[in-house]
Structures are given as structure tokens and as C-alpha cells.
């Protein structure tokens, strides 16, 4: 029940396409869902996060869609660029408690020029 | 000014040796972490400290020992290194347990 399942494991998209990465969870107590982006040789960095009181959040070209009833959330990258090539991790946790982040397994995204 | 810095960036060592990785954060955060990232990029939390107190101690061999001399520093000492310890180790910090994590650039450990 503590898992976060992320798919696909890897994804190749042409420049300008819209890659979509999906995550699913079981624990309905989760109330914080961040996405982290990791470039080769660097540590992960927070990209965007959502709370379950909204169904969508946009920051620039990055959008999180959240479906509370299905217990799923996804990351969309609009007008993808080669510079977006990275590994993306979804995660989930319970805010305001001593509860660590539960991480997805990561998606390696390659944007072809 | 680097927010979370860890040294060294690379370690190459023989099986059976002992090694340490140091981490410092200048963000004023209360919580620090050690994560292990394997060759498949999976992130596994190892330890979490809050104000120098051990909070999370996942199922990690006791050859791994974290030490937090103050809330800005969290070091990782590894005894009797094994081949399976080869990985990238990340230090991270956050203001609370579940807020934004700030990661260092990682320390790549290779055990020969």
C-alpha cells in the first residue's frame, strides 16, 4: 500500500511532442504529489508538485493532472525540447506528518531533435 | 553558493576498505537524508536526521553509519565495503519531513 507505481520505464519522443508519464498509488492518505527531474550527473530537483484538492497544475510547459478517484497522477510536458531529456520521478507523501516520500521507479525520457 | 554539497564526488576503492562521504547544507534546514541510487536509477532512502536526531533508519546493513555533528552536516561512513555497495549516494535536506528536498550532486562509489 506504500508503493507508487510509475510508467513507462523509458520514453522517446520527438521534439515538440507531448510526453506523458503516469503514476498510481494505493494509500488514500497521501496528500502531496511531487515530480522531480534528474539530469545525468546531478541530483534530483523538484519540478512541480500538486495537492489533491486540485485536478491540474501548470508551471510553464509542465502540467500535473490528478485523478483522485482513480488514485493516479501524471506529468505532461508540452512542446518538449531536447533539454527536457532527463529522468523523471514521481513521489507521494502525507504532509504535516513524520512521513517520508515514497518514490516511483523513475522514467528515462529522451527528446529527439 | 552550493546549497547541498557533498564530498568526494567520486570514490574508487577495494572491497573490504572503509570510506566516508561528507555532506553539508547551508539552507538552514532541519532535516537531512542519505539516499542510495542504484544502476537502474531507483532512489532508496537510507537515513533521515532531524535536528541531529535519527528519524528514519531503513533496512540498511549496519556497515553503514551516519553521523550528524550538527544540523548542517550529515556524514556517511561505510565499513568493509562490498561490491554491492557500488552506487551513487545522495545527500539531501528539507525544511520538514515532506517538503521540497534539495539534493546534492551525488557521490559515485565504485567498489572493485
Amino acid at each position: 500500500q506504500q508503493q507508487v507505481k510509475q510508467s513507462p520505464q523509458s520514453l522517446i519522443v520527438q521534439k515538440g511532442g507531448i510526453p506523458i508519464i503516469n503514476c498510481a498509488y494505493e494509500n488514500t492518505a497521501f496528500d502531496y504529489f511531487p515530480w522531480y527531474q534528474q539530469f545525468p550527473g546531478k541530483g534530483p530537483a523538484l519540478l512541480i508538485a500538486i495537492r489533491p484538492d486540485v485536478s491540474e497544475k501548470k508551471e510553464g510547459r509542465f502540467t500535473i493532472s490528478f485523478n483522485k478517484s482513480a488514485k493516479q497522477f501524471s506529468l505532461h510536458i508540452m512542446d518538449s525540447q531536447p533539454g527536457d531529456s532527463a529522468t523523471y520521478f514521481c513521489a507521494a507523501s502525507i504532509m504535516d506528518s513524520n512521513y517520508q516520500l515514497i518514490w516511483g521507479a523513475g522514467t528515462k525520457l529522451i527528446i529527439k531533435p | 553558493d552550493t546549497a547541498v554539497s557533498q564530498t568526494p564526488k567520486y570514490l574508487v576503492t577495494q572491497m573490504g576498505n572503509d570510506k566516508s562521504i561528507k555532506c553539508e547544507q547551508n539552507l538552514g534546514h532541519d532535516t537531512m537524508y542519505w539516499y542510495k541510487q542504484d544502476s537502474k536509477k531507483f532512489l532508496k532512502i537510507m537515513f533521515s536526521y532531524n535536528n541531529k536526531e535519527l528519524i528514519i533508519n531503513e533496512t540498511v546493513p549496519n556497515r553503514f553509519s551516519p553521523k550528524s555533528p550538527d544540523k548542517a552536516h550529515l556524514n556517511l561512513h561505510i565499513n568493509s565495503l562490498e561490491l554491492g555497495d557500488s552506487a551513487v549516494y545522495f545527500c539531501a535536506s528539507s525544511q520538514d519531513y515532506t517538503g521540497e528536498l534539495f539534493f546534492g550532486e551525488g557521490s559515485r562509489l565504485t567498489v572493485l
Side-chain angles (χ1 to χ4, degrees):
Chain A
Q1 211 193 16
Q2 309 296 23
Q3 282 186 324
V4 174
K5 293 183 180 177
Q6 183 173 346
S7 62
Q9 196 172 19
S10 62
L11 186 56
I12 301 174
V13 172
Q14 288 294 130
K15 178 184 170 184
I18 305 176
I20 301 172
I21 304 170
N22 300 298
C23 286
Y25 63 97
E26 290 295 324
N27 188 346
T28 55
F30 287 147
D31 61 0
Y32 175 67
F33 302 90
W35 285 89
Y36 280 75
Q37 179 188 53
Q38 183 181 23
F39 292 109
K42 302 290 186 185
L46 180 66
L47 184 63
I48 185 172
I50 197 168
R51 300 287 300 262
D53 51 349
V54 296
S55 60
E56 187 176 278
K57 183 173 180 180
K58 282 185 185 179
E59 283 187 11
R61 295 183 294 107
F62 299 89
T63 300
I64 299 180
S65 298
F66 186 83
N67 185 331
K68 191 172 181 177
S69 59
K71 292 184 284 185
Q72 294 175 350
F73 58 109
S74 58
L75 177 71
H76 297 64
I77 306 175
M78 307 302 289
D79 187 28
S80 59
Q81 302 295 314
D84 297 327
S85 297
T87 300
Y88 292 81
F89 294 92
C90 63
S93 71
I94 303 170
M95 291 289 280
D96 303 324
S97 74
N98 181 8
Y99 201 89
Q100 62 172 318
L101 278 173
I102 306 298
W103 294 82
T107 296
K108 183 172 181 178
L109 173 65
I110 296 173
I111 307 297
K112 285 193 162 183
Chain B
D1 224 14
T2 306
V4 180
S5 59
Q6 37 182 125
T7 55
K9 194 169 171 69
Y10 299 97
L11 305 94
V12 180
T13 189
Q14 300 287 330
M15 269 198 312
N17 285 350
D18 304 339
K19 286 294 177 188
S20 292
I21 308 171
K22 295 187 175 182
C23 179
E24 176 182 4
Q25 55 96 2
N26 63 6
L27 298 166
H29 288 163
D30 292 330
T31 307
M32 295 185 73
Y33 311 80
W34 278 110
Y35 276 86
K36 179 180 180 180
Q37 187 171 51
D38 61 24
S39 57
K40 293 184 178 179
K41 297 291 189 184
F42 189 72
L43 279 166
K44 176 181 159 59
I45 190 167
M46 301 173 69
F47 303 102
S48 167
Y49 269 76
N50 180 262
N51 277 317
K52 302 196 299 173
E53 182 184 346
L54 182 64
I55 301 298
I56 294 171
N57 184 355
E58 291 295 308
T59 310
V60 175
N62 58 15
R63 299 182 293 103
F64 291 79
S65 53
K67 280 197 171 54
S68 182
D70 56 61
K71 75 173 196 176
H73 295 84
L74 180 62
N75 303 323
L76 182 67
H77 188 76
I78 316 168
N79 289 326
S80 304
L81 280 156
E82 300 178 357
L83 291 176
D85 298 332
S86 296
V88 181
Y89 293 85
F90 286 100
C91 176
S93 73
S94 67
Q95 184 50 39
D96 54 47
Y97 299 113
T98 56
E100 178 179 359
L101 266 64
F102 289 80
F103 283 83
E105 294 205 333
S107 297
R108 180 176 292 276
L109 171 65
T110 303
V111 182
L112 303 174

